[in-house]
Amino acid sequence: MKIFQSLVIIQSVLVAFSEQQQICPALTCDSSINYPIVDQNNICFQHSADSPVTSIRTYSCNQKQQCGLVDGEYAWTRAIRQNNSTQNRTARDNSQVYQRITEKTCEDIQADDQLLQNGRKCELPIQCISRDCDSGKRKCVGKEEGQSCESHQDCDINLACLPDSSFPFKTTCKLLKGTGESCLSDYECLNTHFCWPPLANSSDYRCLEMYSQDFMKDYGFIRNTSLTQIDASVNAGRYCKSGVALIINNSSSRCIEIVNITSTIDNHTTNQSSPYLCSLTNNASSGCRYWYRLFNQTVNRVLAEDYCECSLQPALNSRFQGICPFPGQDQLSQFVKATRILIENTDCHTLDRYSMIAQNDCGAGGKGGDLYDQWAIATETLFNLTYWPFIQSNQTNTCMQQVMTLSRQSIDKSQAYIISLSLQSFMMVLVTLLLIQY
Ligand SMILES: *[C@@H]1O[C@H](CO)[C@@H](O)[C@H](O)[C@H]1NC(C)=O
Ligand SMILES: *[C@@H]1O[C@H](CO)[C@@H](O)[C@H](O)[C@H]1NC(C)=O
Ligand SMILES: *[C@@H]1O[C@H](CO)[C@@H](O)[C@H](O)[C@H]1NC(C)=O
Ligand SMILES: *[C@@H]1O[C@H](CO)[C@@H](O)[C@H](O)[C@H]1NC(C)=O
Ligand SMILES: *[C@@H]1O[C@H](CO)[C@@H](O)[C@H](O)[C@H]1NC(C)=O
Ligand SMILES: *[C@@H]1O[C@H](CO)[C@@H](O)[C@H](O)[C@H]1NC(C)=O
Ligand SMILES: *[C@@H]1O[C@H](CO)[C@@H](O)[C@H](O)[C@H]1NC(C)=O
Ligand SMILES: *[C@@H]1O[C@H](CO)[C@@H](O)[C@H](O)[C@H]1NC(C)=O
Ligand SMILES: *[C@@H]1O[C@H](CO)[C@@H](O)[C@H](O)[C@H]1NC(C)=O
Ligand SMILES: *[C@@H]1O[C@H](CO)[C@@H](O)[C@H](O)[C@H]1NC(C)=O
Ligand SMILES: *[C@@H]1O[C@H](CO)[C@@H](O)[C@H](O)[C@H]1NC(C)=O
Ligand SMILES: *[C@@H]1O[C@H](CO)[C@@H](O)[C@H](O)[C@H]1NC(C)=O
C-alpha cells in the first residue's frame, strides 16, 4: 500500500513537471467527499483551494438536501487566471480562492421554501414575505393597486411600488409599465418587457418589449463593466428577436445574429461546430471569435472575442484543449423562443421574473402541458448558456447538474420535495382541525 502511494505521488510529480503548462483541473463527482469521521453533513463541493487550481470535486446530496451553490460565492477556475496565478503570487487579484467558498455541505431543501414573493404557492402565512397566504387561492398575496407601499415586494403580482409623478412622490402599488413608459429598472416593467434606452446615443430608459426587434435595428446601449464582451452583447440583445446585439459604441447597439465561431484550435481558419473546441496553449484574449454579418455584405465581422475556457475534462485538458465559453446562435435561439412563451404566460411577481424556480410554480412551468415543456427548454438552455464549457462530457455534465442551483435536476428535485412537505403540513392542519372538532 505504502509503495503504491509513493508511486502515485512520484507519478503525479512527474505529470506536474512534464506538463508545467497543464492549465486546467478536472471536475469529478464519482465518490463521496466526507471526512473519515462519520459526518451527518455530506460535503457536496470541494475545491482544492489552491491557485492554480488542481481539482474540483462535487457530490450529490440526499433527496431532502441540496448543495445550493450560488454563482459569485464559490471558488471556481478560469483558464486565464490559472496562468496568471503562476506569474505573480503576491497579488490577491491573481488568486482564484480569495473571498470565495472552497467547501460546502448539503443544506436542507425546506430552508429555501421560506420567504416567497407574492404569487408563489403557499400553505401557511409564514412562507410568504407578505405573511399573507390566501387560503382559497393558496398563493402569497400582497397589497392591491393604490395601496401605500415601501418596496416592490409589498405589492401583489402585476404591480410595482412606484412614486406619484409629482411632489411629495407618495409611493403606491401601481400597474407595471408598458412599451415606451419611462423606467429605472426591469422590475417596473411588464414581465414581457425590460428597461433600456430605445434610442442610440441616449440614456433615456424606457420599458421595451423583449425579443421584439428585427435584424439591423439600432437602439441604445448601457455598459456593465462586469460582463464579458459576448455577455454584454447578449444582455443588450434582449431587445432583439435573435437575442444578441452588436455593440457599436458606448451608447448604441444593433440587432444582429452570430453566424459562426472560430478559435485558436486552428488559428481561426475554419468554423468550429459544437462544442467549439479551442486551444489553451497560448492563452490569448482572442481564444474564441464570434462572427456576425450585415445583411448587405458578404464578409463576416467579429462581434466579440473571449478567452478559451477550461473544459474540466481530463481527456481534453491533457491536450491543452478547452471549450469556448458561449455556444452561439443555436442554443441562444432555442432559449429566446422558449423564453418568449415563458414571459407571456406568467402569473409570478415582477421580482421573480428571472427565477426559473418561481416560474415552475406561478409561471408557465406550473401550468402543465406545452407550457411546462417550454419552461423546461428555457431552463435547460439557460443552464447550457451559463455553464457551456463545463457540461460537455457525461462526467462534467452530471456533476454540474447535481450541484448547481440553476440546473433542471436541482429545480425538479427541490420542487418534488417541497410538494411532499406541503402535503405533510396540509395533512397535519387537517388532522389538527379534526381533533379540535371531536
Ligand atoms: C492575466 O495576465 C495578462 C498578462 O499579464 C493580463 O493582460 C490579464 O489582464 C490578466 N488577466 C487576469 C484575469 O488577471
Ligand atoms: C505583483 O503584484 C503586486 C500587487 O499587485 C505588485 O505590487 C507587484 O509589483 C507585482 N509584481 C510583478 C513582478 O508584477
Ligand atoms: C452622439 O453623442 C456624441 C457625444 O456625446 C456626439 O458627438 C454625436 O454627435 C452624437 N450622435 C448623434 C447621432 O446624435
Ligand atoms: C452587471 O452585471 C452583473 C453580473 O451579471 C450584475 O450582477 C449586475 O447587477 C449588473 N449591473 C448593472 C448595473 O446592471
Ligand atoms: C455611436 O454610434 C451611433 C450609431 O453609429 C452614432 O449615431 C453615435 O453618434 C455614436 N456615438 C458616439 C458617442 O460615438
Ligand atoms: C467607453 O466607456 C469606457 C468606460 O466607461 C471608456 O473607457 C471608453 O473610453 C469609452 N469609449 C468611447 C469610444 O467613448
Ligand atoms: C495565424 O494567422 C495570422 C493571420 O492570419 C498570422 O499572421 C499568424 O502568423 C498565424 N499564426 C500561426 C501560428 O499560424
Ligand atoms: C458558418 O460555418 C459553417 C460550417 O463551417 C459554414 O457551412 C457556413 O457557410 C458558415 N456561415 C457563414 C455565414 O460564414
Ligand atoms: C502565460 O502567460 C504568459 C504571459 O503572461 C505567456 O507568455 C504564456 O504563454 C502563458 N502561458 C500559457 C500556457 O498560456
Ligand atoms: C449596408 O447597410 C448599411 C446599414 O444600413 C449602410 O450603412 C451601408 O451603406 C450599406 N452598404 C452597402 C454597400 O450598401
Ligand atoms: C444542452 O447542452 C447539452 C450539451 O451540449 C445538449 O446535449 C443538450 O441538448 C442541450 N439542451 C438543450 C435544451 O438544447
Ligand atoms: C453519456 O450518457 C448518455 C446518456 O446517459 C449515454 O447514452 C452515453 O453512452 C454516455 N456516453 C459516454 C461516452 O459515456
Side-chain angles (χ1 to χ4, degrees):
M1 194 59 190
K2 260 239 149 78
I3 294 174
F4 177 69
Q5 276 175 351
S6 341
L7 277 179
V8 169
I9 290 168
I10 290 172
Q11 196 189 17
S12 16
V13 169
L14 280 178
V15 168
F17 187 72
S18 65
E19 296 185 3
Q20 247 176 10
Q21 282 198 313
Q22 169 74 24
I23 294 163
C24 297
L27 172 63
T28 55
C29 52
D30 42 18
S31 56
S32 166
I33 346 176
N34 267 345
Y35 291 119
I37 307 158
V38 179
D39 191 342
Q40 290 277 312
N41 294 320
N42 289 315
I43 298 167
C44 55
F45 172 70
Q46 193 177 57
H47 185 277
S48 54
D50 44 9
S51 195
V53 180
T54 49
S55 75
I56 301 177
R57 294 176 67 190
T58 62
Y59 199 63
S60 180
C61 299
N62 69 34
Q63 282 316 107
K64 297 177 179 178
Q65 295 194 312
Q66 64 191 358
C67 198
L69 287 179
V70 176
D71 278 2
E73 293 179 359
Y74 58 89
W76 200 246
T77 186
R78 296 213 55 188
I80 177 67
R81 307 207 47 198
Q82 287 287 81
N83 186 25
N84 281 24
S85 54
T86 62
Q87 311 293 312
N88 185 343
R89 295 184 67 85
T90 56
R92 276 181 191 166
D93 285 352
N94 280 349
S95 160
Q96 297 180 81
V97 297
Y98 176 63
Q99 290 189 329
R100 291 282 185 276
I101 292 168
T102 55
E103 189 168 274
K104 194 163 193 307
T105 49
C106 299
E107 55 189 37
D108 290 349
I109 287 172
Q110 72 193 99
D112 237 22
D113 192 26
Q114 306 299 315
L115 299 179
L116 303 174
Q117 300 288 354
N118 296 321
R120 296 288 301 273
K121 286 193 192 117
C122 56
E123 296 296 337
L124 304 165
I126 52 158
Q127 291 176 285
C128 306
I129 292 174
S130 64
R131 296 287 186 242
D132 187 358
C133 176
D134 184 305
S135 53
K137 286 188 276 187
R138 305 237 295 271
K139 285 183 173 187
C140 297
V141 289
K143 294 184 173 178
E144 292 168 17
E145 190 181 351
Q147 285 192 285
S148 157
C149 59
E150 188 253 324
S151 63
H152 295 328
Q153 67 182 26
D154 294 344
C155 302
D156 207 4
I157 59 167
N158 301 324
L159 303 173
C161 186
L162 299 167
D164 289 348
S165 54
S166 61
F167 196 80
F169 306 109
K170 180 164 68 89
T171 46
T172 55
C173 295
K174 295 185 175 63
L175 288 174
L176 294 172
K177 295 169 178 172
T179 304
E181 290 190 72
S182 175
C183 55
L184 293 175
S185 86
D186 294 356
Y187 302 120
E188 298 179 6
C189 306
L190 291 170
N191 279 305
T192 45
H193 288 54
F194 75 127
C195 188
W196 197 266
L199 299 175
N201 228 19
S202 150
S203 54
D204 180 22
Y205 287 80
R206 303 289 166 134
C207 292
L208 305 177
E209 189 183 350
M210 288 170 82
Y211 309 123
S212 65
Q213 300 300 307
D214 290 317
F215 189 58
M216 295 299 282
K217 165 77 182 177
D218 279 4
Y219 60 102
F221 175 69
I222 301 297
R223 187 170 297 283
N224 178 339
T225 48
S226 61
L227 298 179
T228 63
Q229 282 184 16
I230 188 71
D231 286 346
S233 282
V234 172
N235 186 42
R238 284 180 294 165
Y239 199 21
C240 309
K241 285 178 178 167
S242 64
V244 57
L246 167 70
I247 296 161
I248 299 171
N249 56 36
N250 276 352
S251 58
S252 55
S253 25
R254 174 176 299 161
C255 292
I256 46 88
E257 280 180 9
I258 299 169
V259 292
N260 269 313
I261 300 176
T262 63
S263 83
T264 42
I265 199 97
D266 63 358
N267 197 18
H268 299 286
T269 50
T270 65
N271 296 309
Q272 299 302 310
S273 53
S274 177
Y276 314 107
L277 294 181
C278 47
S279 167
L280 290 167
T281 39
N282 182 6
N283 215 328
S285 59
S286 60
C288 300
R289 279 194 187 129
Y290 297 87
W291 300 80
Y292 72 97
R293 178 183 289 190
L294 297 178
F295 80 97
N296 58 358
Q297 286 172 351
T298 52
V299 289
N300 295 344
R301 293 160 184 253
V302 178
L303 164 70
E305 290 183 339
D306 209 343
Y307 291 100
C308 182
E309 199 46 88
C310 290
S311 70
L312 307 183
Q313 299 173 35
L316 281 182
N317 292 344
S318 62
R319 300 200 303 272
F320 306 107
Q321 282 177 33
I323 294 178
C324 292
F326 189 83
Q329 197 64 51
D330 283 355
Q331 286 285 311
L332 187 57
S333 293
Q334 274 197 65
F335 171 74
V336 168
K337 190 165 164 245
T339 303
R340 281 180 77 160
I341 297 171
L342 218 61
I343 59 185
E344 282 164 8
N345 291 281
T346 181
D347 298 315
C348 292
H349 195 271
T350 182
L351 292 173
D352 270 339
R353 58 175 57 216
Y354 298 117
S355 163
M356 287 302 190
I357 296 174
Q359 297 300 335
N360 191 26
D361 165 345
C362 44
K367 300 189 176 180
D370 185 50
L371 287 176
Y372 175 83
D373 296 342
Q374 298 301 324
W375 170 85
I377 294 171
T379 303
E380 283 167 22
T381 47
L382 178 61
F383 182 80
N384 281 2
L385 293 171
T386 311
Y387 300 116
W388 183 257
F390 316 130
I391 57 164
Q392 298 304 324
S393 71
N394 273 8
Q395 174 168 309
T396 55
N397 189 37
T398 303
C399 302
M400 297 294 285
Q401 286 282 341
Q402 285 173 355
V403 297
M404 292 299 169
T405 316
L406 255 186
S407 78
R408 176 81 195 282
Q409 191 176 316
S410 297
I411 297 175
D412 283 350
K413 181 176 162 183
S414 66
Q415 195 80 6
Y417 186 64
I418 284 168
I419 287 171
S420 77
L421 272 183
S422 306
L423 273 178
Q424 271 173 31
S425 56
F426 184 65
M427 294 305 280
M428 271 164 66
V429 170
L430 214 65
V431 168
T432 319
L433 284 177
L434 287 174
L435 285 177
I436 291 167
Q437 225 160 0
Y438 298 103

